[in-house]
Amino acid sequence: MKRALPFSILMLSGTFALGADISFQDLFYLRSKPSFSASDTKSVVGTIGTGDRAELLESARTPGGHLGIKIRIKTGRHAGKESWVYYDLKRPNITITENGRKLSPAEIAKFTAANASPATPPAAKKSESEARYANDCPSCRAPEQPSPVTEIQKPLAAQYSPAFLGALKTMAVMYQSCDAISKPAYTYQTSIDGYLSYRSARGNMGHSYKIRTIPNANQTKLVRSHYYIDQNGPDNSQCRDMRKAPPIYTYGGWPSISGSNINILQTHSTRGAPFTGLDCSSFVSTALSAAGLSLTPYAKTASNTATSTEYASFTSRNSCFSAPTFTKDETLKSGDVLAWSGHVFMIDRVGEDPFGLNRLMGIGYRFKSTRDCDNLPSDFAKYLNFDIIQSAGLGSLAISRVQAKQYISMSGLAGKIRPLAIAACKTKVTGGVLPLSFMRTSNLIRHKGNTKPGCTMSKKANLVGEQCVARCT
């Protein structure tokens, strides 16, 4: 077990006082104690969201220099309760106001450096890169559900599906960095410079695809502004320098496969080019193979499947997937797959109210009957509270973890999610269970694991380059 990190507790005074007003611009974990390790999920007692307000009580400084803030909540369902939240000085989504004046992150950082006593160093000496991951917790200010980032150890891995852990592993290998899976979900507010050009081509497997290329003049811009590429270069000697070959989304891109070895750092659609890329279906099938999961019973490693073919495998009678059953307490799960003939992605983090039904009720919508559920507002997608992990062209990224509320709205996919939100609403109203039948336009499916013979492989596929991220996967 990973031991709890040491923290220095200090009362806020001087630069700003106890009782300062706090407002939130994102979803944050509420914790029962100032312990912000990604593996410490037991301290998470709830969440606080955009627009909520609280009173500042005290703070704790992490060894990495960020802050844990103890608050007394003023608004929302947790009003009156005291809890801890994480404050990332580099990505502040909390506003602290004293006597009507908004304090800048620089003022808070200056106060922290001047007043906080040094944190106790860990008992065991760590390398510089290990300390970087252990001391800070960039994910702790991220959305509600504790996200399996940084080190995926056995106690933590047991809480998540093999499919989702396979997706995280694939993403970490693609970027040759554990940092890539430690970042909060991408919001499309981060500007990515550089542009991509296209040309049609045809692969040796008969697939048609478009190759996306990066003009030489723009590659530097793309790398410097890319959300996931490590600007400092490789973490260790086993990692490739992805600044020299920035991964991007490639329509029709699939990896090289030799037996149970999958090379996502050399993709067929970009062979010979200075970058790599997977399309949506190749990413999902690679993630499943990396987790030792088959599309159909006793199927071999599959990472070169076209979306339409993969969709057919998902929906066949012999599939290793089935539609899940929604209850009032459980709907989406990390690792679920949403697929239709044109796209496929995997469910990432799932909040406690994934379809935003409580939020809708909070602004006046009433769900007293199943008929009410059929009349969800047209903009329901902006209240979604879950993330997606996928490979898609939006944002010029390769594999990414994105907020569903943004991606679904921006890509015009609300119609694919709406039937699921209605189903969740109906189980909430009736208190019953609702098995999801396959839908005409989209399918939410879940891998059967070892409940069906032949659906788990005797040996997981090996991803070329996975030695680089062994400590995070």
Side-chain angles (χ1 to χ4, degrees):
M1 290 289 292
K2 188 176 181 180
R3 69 181 183 84
L5 296 175
F7 291 88
S8 299
I9 306 298
L10 62 146
M11 297 302 293
L12 296 174
S13 60
T15 302
F16 47 94
L18 295 175
D21 188 77
I22 297 176
S23 61
F24 296 83
Q25 286 82 51
D26 205 339
L27 292 171
F28 289 74
Y29 302 129
L30 294 174
R31 292 181 179 264
S32 59
K33 56 185 178 179
S35 176
F36 304 104
S37 166
S39 62
D40 182 11
T41 59
K42 293 183 178 180
S43 68
V44 177
V45 294
T47 58
I48 191 167
T50 303
D52 286 332
R53 294 175 56 247
E55 175 187 356
L56 183 62
L57 298 180
E58 60 179 281
S59 75
R61 182 165 69 91
T62 72
H66 297 304
L67 286 174
I69 299 176
K70 188 174 184 180
I71 60 173
R72 182 180 291 114
I73 303 166
K74 294 182 178 180
T75 60
R77 57 196 176 92
H78 296 296
K81 295 182 179 179
E82 295 182 3
S83 188
W84 289 88
V85 294
Y86 182 83
Y87 184 92
D88 187 340
L89 294 166
K90 297 178 181 178
R91 290 183 294 272
N93 274 335
I94 294 177
T95 299
I96 300 179
T97 305
E98 183 185 28
N99 297 326
R101 186 177 71 86
K102 178 181 175 181
L103 301 176
S104 69
E107 288 178 290
I108 299 171
K110 182 178 179 180
F111 171 80
T112 303
N115 293 275
S117 57
T120 305
K125 186 176 181 180
K126 297 176 180 285
S127 68
E128 182 178 349
S129 66
E130 287 175 329
R132 175 159 48 122
Y133 292 109
N135 290 344
D136 287 333
C137 180
S139 67
C140 293
R141 70 139 200 97
E144 298 179 31
Q145 189 75 2
S147 193
V149 294
T150 56
E151 298 184 34
I152 305 175
Q153 300 176 340
K154 289 183 179 180
L156 186 60
Q159 303 175 40
Y160 299 95
S161 71
F164 179 51
L165 294 176
L168 286 180
K169 179 178 181 179
T170 303
M171 182 174 180
V173 171
M174 173 63 82
Y175 291 109
Q176 293 286 279
S177 169
C178 292
D179 255 347
I181 60 172
S182 299
K183 292 179 176 291
Y186 183 70
T187 63
Y188 297 106
Q189 295 173 349
T190 304
S191 175
I192 296 180
D193 296 326
Y195 61 88
L196 309 178
S197 60
Y198 305 78
R199 68 180 177 85
S200 299
R202 193 164 188 84
N204 56 9
M205 296 184 64
H207 297 304
S208 61
Y209 53 81
K210 298 175 182 177
I211 295 178
R212 296 188 171 207
T213 62
I214 308 172
N216 292 335
N218 284 12
Q219 181 167 326
T220 300
K221 292 181 180 179
L222 178 64
V223 170
R224 287 179 177 174
S225 62
H226 202 286
Y227 188 62
Y228 293 112
I229 295 175
D230 192 338
Q231 305 301 308
N232 297 318
D235 222 20
N236 58 65
S237 60
Q238 293 182 307
C239 298
R240 300 190 187 188
D241 189 346
M242 301 311 291
R243 296 174 299 178
K244 299 178 180 179
I248 58 175
Y249 171 76
T250 302
Y251 180 83
W254 68 92
S256 299
I257 303 175
S258 177
S260 61
N261 296 315
I262 302 176
N263 188 354
I264 62 175
L265 302 178
Q266 181 183 11
T267 55
H268 279 276
S269 63
T270 57
R271 179 169 290 177
F275 52 88
T276 59
L278 298 175
D279 67 6
C280 58
S281 56
S282 288
F283 165 63
V284 171
S285 55
T286 297
L288 295 172
S289 294
L293 303 175
S294 299
L295 294 178
T296 55
Y298 305 104
K300 297 181 180 180
T301 299
S303 290
N304 55 359
T305 309
T307 305
S308 57
T309 304
E310 190 170 68
Y311 176 74
S313 298
F314 285 148
T315 57
S316 71
R317 291 184 178 182
N318 197 35
S319 175
C320 287
F321 287 81
S322 62
T325 295
F326 277 10
T327 71
K328 66 181 182 66
D329 298 317
E330 182 179 274
T331 53
L332 294 179
K333 283 186 176 182
S334 293
D336 286 352
V337 172
L338 191 61
W340 58 97
S341 58
H343 190 40
V344 58
F345 56 72
M346 192 176 290
I347 303 300
D348 191 307
R349 173 201 66 89
V350 178
E352 61 185 39
D353 181 25
F355 294 105
L357 299 175
N358 292 339
R359 284 291 183 103
L360 289 170
M361 293 174 67
I363 60 173
Y365 287 90
R366 294 292 177 262
F367 303 115
K368 296 181 179 180
S369 69
T370 56
R371 181 175 296 181
D372 294 333
C373 296
D374 292 326
N375 297 314
L376 289 177
S378 59
D379 63 347
F380 81 96
K382 71 180 183 181
Y383 299 102
L384 296 175
N385 185 19
F386 63 92
D387 296 335
I388 293 167
I389 184 168
Q390 65 173 352
S391 184
L394 193 61
S396 300
L397 295 171
I399 303 170
S400 59
R401 304 174 73 184
V402 300
Q403 292 184 357
K405 64 182 180 182
Q406 280 200 320
Y407 177 73
I408 297 301
S409 298
M410 292 174 65
S411 56
L413 298 176
K416 308 293 185 182
I417 303 296
R418 188 180 184 86
L420 304 178
I422 291 174
C425 179
K426 290 181 177 180
T427 61
K428 185 180 182 69
V429 169
T430 64
V433 298
L434 182 61
L436 298 183
S437 58
F438 286 121
M439 303 171 187
R440 289 185 177 182
T441 56
S442 67
N443 290 327
L444 180 72
I445 49 181
R446 186 172 297 161
H447 199 273
K448 296 178 180 179
N450 56 14
T451 63
K452 183 173 182 176
C455 287
T456 56
M457 302 175 183
S458 59
K459 181 181 178 181
K460 297 179 182 178
N462 172 64
L463 300 185
V464 174
E466 67 179 51
Q467 297 85 353
C468 165
V469 294
R471 64 182 178 77
C472 66
T473 57

